[in-house]
């Protein structure tokens, strides 16, 4: 009876909550009664002293837990990444990092992570902004927004399962249960195929390239523009963004060319998740599907916060709807866009569940987090595993700092 | 030349009619002020002229061209908003240059226009600043500069001074008057709820009330010959006194008698049919004088005395069916609270309004 999980759970809750209450109550009592009693000749001084200590009493549990579960693991991981398990935990210097960087699978993971890093935040933010703007004025806008927000409530693994069904493949002679293959088999190389598989993607890719170019331009422009924030350490980040943008534009333009020269295997069901490079994008769709809702909610609130009169002034000045959106609205919510973008970037850097559940890194879809899991728990190689964990942390940290910096700037 | 004309213009939001039967002819070079209490539809009318609100009925012409369905930017208007509506992410220069850039003007032309406007408004040293680094008065000037740069036919101002403090308001009011003088060709429409602004700036005033135009005329015309009791009481401070009276004699001069025995002969024409009717006799506080004789207008009990030195303002006890009278006497008067005194006024300063509040002068 005592081993019953429900009973154990209940006991944990009672102990935990009771322990918390007891801690706060008793620690305050001890402070007030024992150390600094508001009595005697030092009464006033003691009250002041007690009030200086009190915040730390309340902060202590949180600080303790943070240290135990965040700070300590960081240092322990760092230590482990410099030791070797096979040698009984002996110190081996940077040997693990050398081993890791010699592995093609690691570089595959880095490359894929970079791809994720650029595509997912860009696509989620762009879609979120688009939806926020389009649903702003229509009567059923709130309904549309609720529907688009809903994937936020689904876990990454759950979403992966849903999309695995969408990408599912059956032999030619059976009915396709995967939506994507069902649609694919409708194409036969005729006019419809040209429109949907060549013209439409071309248009989309060109639009994407244009948007990326615009965003990158905004960042590059800030380097030279007057009156903007010129912190020294923002410069490399801005340059990085500009270079990433250029690479992305080149990527989309070269894809446009290849779209028109590709011979497509019409009539054969495809195992989508095994097509190299493309399968990465099929995985990314899952995260974009989830994160668009998040971007939309935040950006929608930001758009609402734009003073209506600045928009009306722009109308009187002769701006068309596109100019109003890109020259008046977007610049005014640029801070929020950056915060949304970097927040999604952080999620993306840590992406694990989706890859783990859908391909487990096979067919060239490996990402860093899954690589780390592979090394740590499958290969039982704590050295290389910890080294990859440290790499992830190093990648996350600057973006995290920038995110916090921007979020604080927004709050002011 | 007619610059702007509104013919039977009306505006409804759903079933709520906000403005009706608006007829206005505005000449080029005029400074027209729309004045009226809050919520009477001044902003709505201005925004319809700007093209920011759809015109429900009637026609709007600018330079003899119907512009009901012309987009704002092509109407030849520029607007200065109550909250200034500067683009917060653009410098003062870019704020002023924005409209010209959208119109694909050459950068030389843009630069010339912006610098000329900045010079007029003493903004030259602020051109590189962002709006958030400007004071209220400076923002106001940038907003005006943004309008000037576009060289519009009609300037529209929506309560441009209401966000400034009292001292700055007076200074900016004078600046706007000077600006108008330096641009005698431009037509300006200026919305305010402040009658002092209206009286000092306007070449003609439109008094709006409850979605109607109550009167349209030169400032002193509104003061001297108000068309109805609303205008009579809205223009002038303190408001005009309205006293219930009965018509006892008609013709070129109308005689009236008050219930307390006062009487007056106003040089205002009336019809035989008016005889015996109850009317309102209007007299401005500053036109009243104290008298000892039996030939008085009203007698009333003093309730409050405000001695300002320059003037003495007397507030009298209200009588049945009337508001309390107010008298504004020049100089210092030693009058005790609670005394009943007699007041009179020059005959030509009197106004008569019929039962519906319409002036006898405009029948
Ligand atoms: N979008 C709107 N929908 C419904 N009623 C409106 C709208 N805008 C203004 N009104 C109403 O129109 C009337 C006039 O408003 P407005 O022109 O702003 O007055 P003001 O003279 O104070 O500038 C007000 O009663 C206001 O409630
Ligand atoms: Mg208004």
């Amino acid at each position: 009876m005592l081993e019953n999980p429900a009973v154990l759970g209940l006991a944990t809750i009672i102990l935990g909550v009771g322990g918390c209450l007891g801690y706060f109550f008793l620690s305050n009592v001890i402070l007030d009664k024992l150390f600094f009693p508001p009595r005697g000749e030092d009464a006033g001084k003691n009250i002041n002293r007690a009030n200086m200590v009190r915040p730390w009493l309340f902060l202590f549990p949180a600080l303790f837990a943070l240290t135990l579960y965040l700070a300590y693991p960081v240092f322990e991981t760092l230590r482990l990444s410099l030791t070797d398990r096979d040698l009984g935990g002996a110190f081996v210097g940077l040997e693990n990092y050398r081993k890791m960087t010699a592995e093609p699978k690691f570089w595959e993971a880095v490359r894929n992570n970079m791809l994720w890093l650029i595509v997912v935040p860009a696509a989620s933010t762009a879609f979120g902004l688009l939806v926020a703007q389009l649903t702003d004025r229509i009567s059923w806008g709130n309904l549309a927004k609720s529907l688009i927000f809903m994937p936020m409530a689904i876990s990454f693994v759950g979403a992966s399962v849903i999309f695995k069904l969408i990408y599912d493949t059956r032999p030619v002679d059976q009915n396709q249960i995967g939506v994507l293959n069902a649609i694919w088999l409708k194409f036969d190389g005729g006019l419809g195929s040209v429109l949907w598989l060549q013209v439409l993607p071309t248009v989309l890719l060109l639009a994407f390239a244009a948007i990326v170019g615009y965003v990158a331009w905004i960042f590059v422009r800030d380097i030279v523009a007057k009156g903007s924030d010129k912190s020294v350490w923002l410069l490399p980040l801005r340059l990085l963004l500009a270079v990433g943008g250029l690479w992305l534009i080149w990527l989309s333009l070269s894809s446009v060319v290849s779209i028109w020269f590709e011979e497509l295997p019409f009539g054969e069901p495809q195992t989508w998740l095994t097509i190299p490079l493309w399968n990465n994008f099929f995985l990314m769709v899952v995260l974009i599907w989830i994160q668009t809702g998040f971007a939309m909610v935040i950006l929608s609130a930001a758009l609402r916060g734009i003073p209506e009169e600045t928009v009306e002034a722009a109308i009187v000045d002769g701006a068309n709807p596109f100019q109003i959106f890109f020259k008046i609205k977007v610049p005014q919510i640029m801070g929020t866009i950056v915060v949304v973008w970097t927040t999604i970037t952080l999620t993306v850097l840590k992406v694990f569940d989706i890859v783990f559940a859908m391909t487990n890194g096979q067919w060239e879809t490996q990402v860093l987090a899954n690589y780390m899991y592979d090394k740590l728990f499958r290969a039982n190689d704590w050295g290389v595993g910890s080294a990859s964990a440290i790499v992830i942390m190093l990648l996350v940290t600057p973006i995290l700092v920038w995110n916090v910096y921007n979020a604080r700037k927004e709050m002011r | 030349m007619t610059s702007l004309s509104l013919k039977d213009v009306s505006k409804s939001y759903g079933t709520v009619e906000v403005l009706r039967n608006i007829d206005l002819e505005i000449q080029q070079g005029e400074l027209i002020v729309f004045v009226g209490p809050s919520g009477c539809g001044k902003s709505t009318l201005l925004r319809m002229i700007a093209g920011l609100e759809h015109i429900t009925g009637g026609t709007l012409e600018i330079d003899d061209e119907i512009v009901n369905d012309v987009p704002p930017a092509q109407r030849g208007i520029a607007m200065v908003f109550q909250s200034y509506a500067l683009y917060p992410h653009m410098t003062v220069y870019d704020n002023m240059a924005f409209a010209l850039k959208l119109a694909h003007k050459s950068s030389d032309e843009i630069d010339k226009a912006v610098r000329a406007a900045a010079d007029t408004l003493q903004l030259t040293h602020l051109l590189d600043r962002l709006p958030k680094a400007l004071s209220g008065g400076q923002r106001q000037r940038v907003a005006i500069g943004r309008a000037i740069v576009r060289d519009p036919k009609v300037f529209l101002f929506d309560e441009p001074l209401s966000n400034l403090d009292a001292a700055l308001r007076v200074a900016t009011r004078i600046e706007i008057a000077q600006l108008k003088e330096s641009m005698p060709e431009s037509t300006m429409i200026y919305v305010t709820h402040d009658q002092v602004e209206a009286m000092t700036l306007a070449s003609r005033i439109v008094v709006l009330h409850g979605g109607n135009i109550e009167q349209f005329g030169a400032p002193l015309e509104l003061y001297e010959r108000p068309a109805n009791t609303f205008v009579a009481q809205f223009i002038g401070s303190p408001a005009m006194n309205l006293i219930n009276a009965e018509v006892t004699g008609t013709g070129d001069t109308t005689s009236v008698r008050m219930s307390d025995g006062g009487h007056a002969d106003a040089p205002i024409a009336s019809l035989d049919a008016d005889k015996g009717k109850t009317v309102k006799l209007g007299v401005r506080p500053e036109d009243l004088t104290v008298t000892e004789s039996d030939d008085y207008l009203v007698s009333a009990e003093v309730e409050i005395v405000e001695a300002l030195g320059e003037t003495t303002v007397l507030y009298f006890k209200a009588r049945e069916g009337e508001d309390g009278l107010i008298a504004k006497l020049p100089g210092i008067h030693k009058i005790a609270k609670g005394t009943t005194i007699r007041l009179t006024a020059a005959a030509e300063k009197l106004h008569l309004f019929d039962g519906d509040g319409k002036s006898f002068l405009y029948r």
Side-chain angles (χ1 to χ4, degrees), chain A residues 208-271:
Chain A
F208 176 70
I211 291 169
V212 170
Y214 179 77
V215 171
W217 162 241
I218 284 174
F219 280 87
V220 177
R221 187 187 56 184
D222 274 0
I223 300 173
V224 284
K226 292 176 222 149
S228 62
D229 186 357
K230 277 222 186 55
S231 317
V232 181
W233 57 276
L234 282 180
L235 190 67
L237 275 166
R238 288 200 164 119
L239 285 177
L240 191 78
L241 251 148
V243 172
L246 277 182
W247 178 64
L248 221 69
I249 291 171
W250 182 81
L251 204 72
S252 10
L253 293 185
S254 58
S255 314
V256 168
V257 175
S258 65
I259 280 175
W260 291 92
F261 293 103
E262 195 82 31
E263 289 287 327
L264 294 171
F266 292 111
E268 302 163 25
Q270 301 290 309
T271 44

Side-chain angles (χ1 to χ4, degrees), chain B residues 38-39 41-44 82 158-159 191:
Chain B
S38 218
K42 307 179 296 287
S43 297
T44 308
Q82 187 169 358
D158 191 357
E159 309 215 11
V191 163

Side-chain angles (χ1 to χ4, degrees), chain B residues 58-242:
Chain B
T59 55
L60 166 67
E61 292 174 20
I62 297 179
D63 276 0
D64 301 322
E65 223 177 290
I66 296 180
V67 293
N68 280 36
D69 298 315
V70 175
Q74 282 143 42
R75 290 187 180 193
I77 52 103
M79 186 153 170
V80 176
F81 291 85
Q82 187 169 358
S83 64
Y84 318 141
L86 301 181
Y87 310 125
H89 56 289
M90 294 185 197
T91 61
V92 169
Y93 186 98
D94 289 336
N95 260 284
M96 295 209 266
F98 187 64
L100 300 181
K101 278 184 191 158
L102 292 180
H104 301 295
K105 292 266 163 59
S106 76
S107 57
D108 281 350
E109 211 175 327
I110 294 175
D111 198 60
K112 232 169 85 188
V114 171
R115 292 198 185 274
D119 201 41
T120 321
L121 296 164
Q122 292 138 44
L123 289 169
T124 310
H125 61 295
L126 302 172
L127 283 176
D128 288 337
R129 295 229 195 136
L130 287 174
K132 67 176 176 223
L134 300 179
S135 70
Q138 289 167 338
R139 285 178 206 184
Q140 176 62 66
R141 294 216 296 277
V142 176
I144 294 174
R146 197 165 62 178
I148 291 178
V149 163
R150 297 185 50 212
D151 190 24
K153 291 180 228 162
V154 184
F155 284 88
L156 307 175
F157 294 88
D158 191 357
E159 309 215 11
L161 307 186
S162 60
N163 283 348
L164 302 177
D165 61 47
L168 207 51
R169 205 174 298 171
V170 175
T172 314
R173 195 175 76 208
I174 292 166
E175 271 175 37
I176 290 179
Q178 286 168 343
L179 184 75
K180 175 72 196 77
E181 242 166 64
S182 69
M183 298 189 295
E185 296 295 298
S186 334
T187 310
M188 293 191 180
I189 301 181
Y190 186 106
V191 163
T192 180
H193 62 262
D194 183 283
Q195 52 131 334
V196 178
E197 271 172 46
M199 296 295 282
T200 51
L201 286 173
S203 58
R204 286 195 291 168
I205 296 177
V206 178
V207 181
L208 283 168
H209 175 52
N212 287 312
I213 295 183
E214 296 285 353
Q215 194 171 359
F216 179 30
L220 288 181
E221 188 189 334
L222 301 195
Y223 180 81
E224 287 172 339
R225 297 163 61 88
N228 49 48
T229 50
F230 177 79
V231 177
Q233 294 207 296
F234 192 79
I235 302 289
S237 169
M240 181 188 284
N241 297 303
L242 294 177

Side-chain angles (χ1 to χ4, degrees), chain A residues 309 312 314 316-318 327 332, chain B residues 47 73 83 87-89 102 150:
Chain A
E309 287 200 336
E312 288 180 341
V316 173
D317 273 347
K327 295 195 166 154
Q332 287 195 60
Chain B
R47 291 163 57 80
S83 64
Y87 310 125
H89 56 289
L102 292 180
R150 297 185 50 212

